[in-house]
Amino acid sequence: MNIIITALFGLESLVREDLVSIGYDKENITVTDGVVTLKVSDTDYAIHVARVNMWVRRGERVFIEAGSFKAETFEEFFDGTKSINWNDFIPRDYVFIVNGFSRKSKLFGIPACQSLCKKAIVDSLRISRKLGINDTIYEDKDEGVVRIQFGIVDDIVRMMIDTSGDGLHKRGYRPLTHEAPIKETLASAFISLAHYKPFGYEALVDPLCGSGTILIEAAMMALNVAPGKMRHFAYESLPYIGTDAYKKAHEEALELEDLSEMDDCFYWGSDIDGKAIDNARKNARNAGVDKFIRFEQADFKTRTPEFLLEKTGFDRQLIITNPPYGGRLLTEEEAFAIYKGIARVYLDKYGHCKKGIRLSVITPDDSFEVQTGYKADKRTKVYNGNIKCQFNNYYKMTK
């Protein structure tokens, strides 16, 4: 059985790290553009589906593969889809919904493929259930829903069953939606891309923390809190996976987390908006990590290297922040002023980090570099929702 985890482009290796960290061998993991595939045993795949949904921090969604085949024509697509025994994946009377995508393939008409896929699945179910050609496949939402996704890449079709339901970024700790929040999966990825090492005598600081997502994700990673422990998943309603797998994975997660108190505080957040700070505290409390993060209402300009040295007690500070973008929240001019302010506080006139500082800033495209005039030491291109962003890392120190 293949378990398939979709990922944002550029973050696939981090999803592989998630799988390795929960005990899967690298030999059973394959990484391609936007997709990570984990091969597991057919006999106990249900518990693996539950564990992957419970523990993957940087992936977007988890699927199981129903079948794969090559298709360069609509006829090949229809026949390949029909050849799969869909009765194994779609319980009687369940509604099934089809979506899909195509990249680098001769078949690219998604609506047409969706329609053909639905017809082929119906034909397959009629054969398995010994129904006539004119008999109806009854669908009742009250019985359950199966979400099917096809992916066509380089003319190879993969038929997949969605086991996650809501995207994995919906952890469950953030019911209060702060304006323009960063996705939890992306925040977790940025923490790793900044090479943050938990409890490594370096404080993690977000001086424009908004709803606190970056700090909450960092604390959850450090304390081994499973990202999926506060939510439920679509697979629980599928009889071939079910609730027993969820219960076992959830119990394992609770046993593995370490929420014992610490003498030092490694996570510090501030924001000029008092409402944002209130929401950040509630979110941290919902996630169970509020004892490990300090939130304060303050202007980021006051969080200077000298202030942070005294405040945190650490000689080194990693600043990771996702300042407001121009547009819905601020004008471009106001956003650009914040970027320049961040540079003044944490970088010197040469664009090097001030003593004890590493700086990572998430902004639309290369706007931080353009507005400050300082080229990042390392940059990563990603998407935050529909916004093309750049993760700017500055780590060269003042001489």
Side-chain angles (χ1 to χ4, degrees), residues 71-84:
E72 297 182 353
T73 66
F74 286 124
E75 184 178 3
E76 290 174 337
F77 180 83
F78 182 90
D79 291 342
T81 303
K82 184 178 176 179
S83 69
I84 296 169

Side-chain angles (χ1 to χ4, degrees), residues 112-222:
C113 287
Q114 284 177 287
S115 178
L116 278 176
C117 184
K118 184 89 174 180
K119 290 177 182 177
I121 291 172
V122 168
D123 280 1
S124 173
L125 291 175
R126 284 196 184 113
I127 293 169
S128 298
R129 297 172 185 177
K130 297 179 171 49
L131 300 175
I133 193 169
N134 295 318
D135 289 334
T136 299
I137 299 296
Y138 184 67
E139 296 180 79
D140 183 355
K141 278 191 175 182
D142 292 336
E143 290 294 323
V145 177
V146 178
R147 297 186 182 276
I148 299 164
Q149 178 161 298
F150 59 82
I152 312 174
V153 180
D154 293 325
D155 298 321
I156 300 298
V157 180
R158 268 181 154 175
M159 289 291 174
M160 302 172 285
I161 308 295
D162 181 3
T163 68
S164 297
D166 287 335
L168 295 182
H169 70 280
K170 294 189 176 180
R171 313 285 207 220
Y173 65 74
R174 196 171 67 176
L176 296 171
T177 303
H178 186 65
E179 291 181 302
I182 188 172
K183 289 173 68 174
E184 293 88 331
T185 46
L186 197 52
S188 182
F190 286 145
I191 293 159
S192 294
L193 290 172
H195 299 288
Y196 174 67
K197 305 296 183 186
F199 316 127
Y201 303 101
E202 180 180 54
L204 179 56
V205 180
D206 185 350
L208 298 108
C209 68
S211 57
T213 306
I214 291 172
L215 296 168
I216 292 169
E217 288 294 318
M220 289 175 66
M221 292 170 69

